[in-house]
Amino acid sequence: MSSDSPSPADRPDPNEGNPALRARVPDHVADGCFSTGAIVMTGPSEYVVDFLQTIGRPHRVARRVIVPHPVMPQFIDALNTNLDLYKSRFGDPPAPPQNQNQARRPTPQEIYDDLKLPDEVLSGVYANGVMIGHGASEFGLDFLTSYFPQSAVSARVFVSAGQVPRLLESLKSAVRQLEQRQQSAATASVEPVGDQSAEIEPASDPALPPD
């Protein structure tokens, strides 16, 4: 009996030629959005990155990007590399102004009580890759779904250069928190990694802009 299935040697390699570099940009994603800050949260198997727009009222979540745990260190490395390249060309990015009137850090519930979360953003978009570029004043983040035969941009976000160090620190903090939970779970052999509290806890230094 013959089979029409191709042999392994005949099957195309989905990683060949880095298909992410040829990612399709859907029309509804192409314009992107500008973000003035971000909140990073840790879930059982993914990170949730909420990119905010806090210019005018109501403040809102402009994009929600879901990043699997194994992909986040790659995102951090790529963002860190681009920040180093930016500094070599333009110097240190200007630091955003700090809110001197904030007496204490708000709780996650207080933060989201003040944010509009549109229905079309609620479930977020998945990303298992990212392409990053920058100019003199902003960084562009193209989040990707990299599947054979065609990668696609699932979200396009622009952030000011001054926001990038805070975003980078929030991403690193979220990874450190996950590693600490995993170490505690391995030591105690009681607490599961994906406990419910992890689903609502933002990174220790969320990149929230001042009012």
Side-chain angles (χ1 to χ4, degrees):
M1 180 181 295
S2 63
S3 172
D4 294 331
S5 299
S7 66
D10 296 329
R11 296 191 185 105
D13 182 356
N15 297 317
E16 186 175 3
N18 194 357
L21 297 179
R22 300 188 299 273
R24 179 179 299 168
V25 184
D27 290 341
H28 70 280
V29 174
D31 289 342
C33 72
F34 186 78
S35 172
T36 56
I39 298 174
V40 185
M41 297 176 285
T42 307
S45 59
E46 72 289 313
Y47 297 96
V48 179
V49 187
D50 279 351
F51 289 97
L52 312 179
Q53 287 181 344
T54 57
I55 301 174
R57 290 286 183 173
H59 296 173
R60 72 189 190 101
V61 179
R63 294 290 185 275
R64 168 170 283 181
V65 181
I66 313 301
V67 180
H69 287 169
V71 175
M72 183 59 79
Q74 302 170 28
F75 178 23
I76 291 173
D77 287 345
L79 190 58
N80 200 65
T81 297
N82 271 267
L83 182 58
D84 288 342
L85 291 172
Y86 176 94
K87 290 178 179 179
S88 68
R89 294 183 61 191
F90 305 109
D92 290 336
Q98 301 293 321
N99 187 356
Q100 302 297 332
N101 298 323
Q102 185 172 309
R104 65 176 181 84
R105 185 186 300 276
T107 66
Q109 187 61 55
E110 290 172 338
I111 292 172
Y112 279 89
D113 283 345
D114 194 44
L115 289 173
K116 181 179 180 180
L117 187 57
D119 289 345
E120 62 271 18
V121 176
L122 191 58
S123 294
V125 296
Y126 179 81
N128 59 2
V130 63
M131 291 192 297
I132 303 174
H134 65 265
S137 58
E138 73 288 316
F139 280 60
L141 312 176
D142 275 1
F143 293 95
L144 310 174
T145 51
S146 295
Y147 304 124
F148 181 82
Q150 179 68 66
S151 297
V153 177
S154 56
R156 172 169 285 175
V157 180
F158 301 99
V159 297
S160 67
Q163 289 286 350
V164 171
R166 297 181 66 185
L167 172 61
L168 189 57
E169 181 54 37
S170 289
L171 298 173
K172 291 178 179 179
S173 177
V175 171
R176 287 194 298 266
Q177 288 181 9
L178 177 64
E179 291 173 347
Q180 290 169 0
R181 290 194 188 104
Q182 291 173 332
Q183 291 172 358
S184 297
T187 301
S189 299
V190 174
E191 181 183 358
V193 174
D195 61 337
Q196 291 300 311
S197 62
E199 297 181 12
I200 61 172
E201 182 178 354
S204 60
D205 186 19
L208 281 171
D211 291 333

